[in-house]
Amino acid sequence: MSDVTARHRLRSVATTLAVALTLTLAAAAGCDNRKDPPLPSVLDKLRESHIDGQPKIKIGVATTEPLMGELRNGVHGGFDVEIARYLAAFLGFAGDQRIEWVSLATEDRIPALQGGVVDLVVSSFSMTEEREKLVSFAGPYFVTTQEVMVPVRLKNRIRTIEDLRRPEYRICTSGGSTTEAELEKHDVKAYVVKEVGDCVRGIREGRYDAVSTDETILAGFLSLYPKEFEIVDMPFGTSELLGVGVPIGDPALRDLVAFALQKSYLQGRSGLSSPWLTAYNRTLGPWLKADKSQPQPLNVPKLVDFDDKAPVR
């Protein structure tokens, strides 16, 4: 091999190495450019949501469901109301003076969200595929079942779904509820009223013989009339996942509520007291037979929560 040929080959190798090094550096630079963007913060999401800048947050709740959502002596109380207060505080609306409570019947929850009457609904709102076409949900924050409550005089006569079908018994439930659809699916004829309280009042007055709805709601009325009623262990249908209703056009608000529920869930999992556990022990806990714990919310976003505190407005 001549010196000229050797020098030519060395130059070719050097050129090849230089090109390879350039490509490697370019690829590395490209990798750096493809890094995931920084996570959004709670404050970023708040600025995206329709509640940003509002003096108050409007929350739809029940006012006639003991232990869940009731209005007594001008004060809202119950498990759902306590969860709503926690969420409001997380969103920057701490204290009842920053909350506009809106009383909603079961059948009014979806129209209230769609019409902008409320910003959130926390009112025994079961998450279903059909409803998710109309509103958004964050949660679940509770898992319950559909049950039946009967007066003590009938506790040995109404024990099964077959008993509910018997024509001599008048079964009552609230309109627009998942229970109404479930009873129909099981060929149980039901009298449909506006609120579960109307069913309970009707049983006490002799117009109905049984009421069916979520176990949580029935527990509330049992707490009012413990000697008059009994809850029959007759679950029919799947578990009910209770979620927080959010307008379908505000994904940022849905993400914030889901993130807040996840914070409470993680506190409980770590063995600490949590907003959820505090609310449960104050309300439903003493009246539900089985031990309950907060379920893990679904589709929780990753957010930066500065100082682990809600922003001050």
Side-chain angles (χ1 to χ4, degrees), residues 5 33 59 67 131 180 204 224 227 249 251 259 263 268:
T5 302
N33 291 334
I59 304 181
L67 301 185
R131 287 174 175 171
E180 179 187 4
R204 300 186 76 216
L224 287 184
K227 295 181 179 180
F259 185 78
K263 284 186 65 175

Side-chain angles (χ1 to χ4, degrees), residues 6 17 36 49 60-61 79 122 167 199 204 235 240 250 261 267-269 303 309 313:
L17 289 173
D36 292 334
S49 75
V61 293
F79 178 72
V122 191
C199 293
R204 300 186 76 216
E240 296 288 309
D250 196 340
L261 292 174
Q267 281 182 263
R269 292 278 291 180
L303 301 176
K309 294 179 182 177
R313 292 171 181 265

Side-chain angles (χ1 to χ4, degrees), residues 217-237:
I217 298 173
L218 293 179
F221 287 103
L222 183 63
S223 74
L224 287 184
Y225 311 109
K227 295 181 179 180
E228 294 185 36
F229 291 96
E230 181 174 299
I231 295 178
V232 181
D233 187 12
M234 195 197 308
F236 52 95

